[in-house]
Amino acid sequence: MHTPIAVTLKLDEGKLGAQEFQRVAAKAGLIRELRVRREEALDNFGKPGRDPHELGDVLTKIVEQSGWGPHLKMASLESDWASVVGEVNARHSRVASYVDGVLTIAADSPSWTQQLTAIAPMLTETLRERLGGLRIDEVRVTGPQTHGRGVRMMKYVQRNTRRPRG
């Protein structure tokens, strides 16, 4: 015959029911508290002290602490490029890179490179205003190369190999 578990574990059978009831009652109390909190949150939604602008403050702090600020400003500049340089110039150029205060603009052709280079000083001032807090020391404009890598390599080989005369 098996010994009852209460005897084996030396438990007081009179207290077992009360202990189990306390555990169930505590869980029920926690569930009730969570339900009350959820109802209060729904009732307070949109009331003063719970303004949505506070979320923006949190996001701003995250951006500042993570170092994403310059990347977000450059993304904003790329998406709004036409309002900075004008629609026509924007169709023939794009923001290429930003490194250590130097903003590089890639132009479609040598003539567009010349056009944008002429307005680079004005662009520098405009960009400093628009991208407040982002250091803009110089605006460089680059154009396409006149020859691709293959043509340059072929010319290099031709210049540096001598053909025997004879």
Side-chain angles (χ1 to χ4, degrees):
M1 187 185 266
H2 296 286
T3 337
I5 193 75
V7 174
T8 306
L9 297 176
K10 299 178 185 172
L11 300 173
D12 184 1
E13 290 184 48
K15 293 181 181 179
L16 285 178
Q19 288 173 345
E20 184 64 23
F21 177 77
Q22 285 176 345
R23 188 180 66 77
V24 171
K27 187 174 182 179
L30 179 63
I31 291 171
R32 186 178 328 107
E33 184 180 330
L34 291 174
R35 185 180 308 125
V36 168
R37 282 186 189 174
R38 186 173 48 241
E39 289 171 2
E40 286 176 358
L42 287 172
D43 290 342
N44 291 328
F45 184 76
K47 290 185 178 176
R50 297 185 58 113
D51 295 331
H53 76 279
E54 291 178 7
L55 176 61
D57 295 342
V58 171
L59 291 176
T60 300
K61 190 160 196 105
I62 289 171
V63 167
E64 288 172 0
Q65 290 176 347
S66 65
W68 294 343
H71 301 290
L72 292 175
K73 287 181 181 183
M74 290 310 299
S76 171
L77 176 64
E78 289 173 12
S79 67
D80 203 24
W81 186 234
S83 71
V84 176
V85 295
E87 195 65 42
V88 175
N89 287 334
R91 279 190 298 235
H92 298 283
S93 65
R94 64 179 176 79
V95 175
S97 67
Y98 171 79
V99 178
D100 296 328
V102 177
L103 178 71
T104 304
I105 300 169
D108 287 351
S109 68
S111 61
W112 286 107
T113 303
Q114 185 177 11
Q115 168 72 17
L116 290 165
T117 301
I119 64 169
M122 184 179 68
L123 277 177
T124 304
E125 290 306 315
T126 303
L127 292 169
R128 283 179 183 153
E129 290 172 16
R130 282 210 175 201
L131 304 174
L134 188 63
R135 192 183 85 206
I136 303 287
D137 297 330
E138 180 184 355
V139 173
R140 285 187 192 152
V141 183
T142 61
Q145 296 178 350
T146 55
H147 299 293
R149 183 178 184 276
V151 173
R152 288 192 313 270
M153 180 62 81
M154 182 180 69
K155 288 183 178 185
Y156 174 81
V157 170
Q158 288 172 351
R159 279 192 314 261
N160 293 305
T161 55
R162 296 180 188 225
R163 294 185 186 151
R165 294 185 184 194

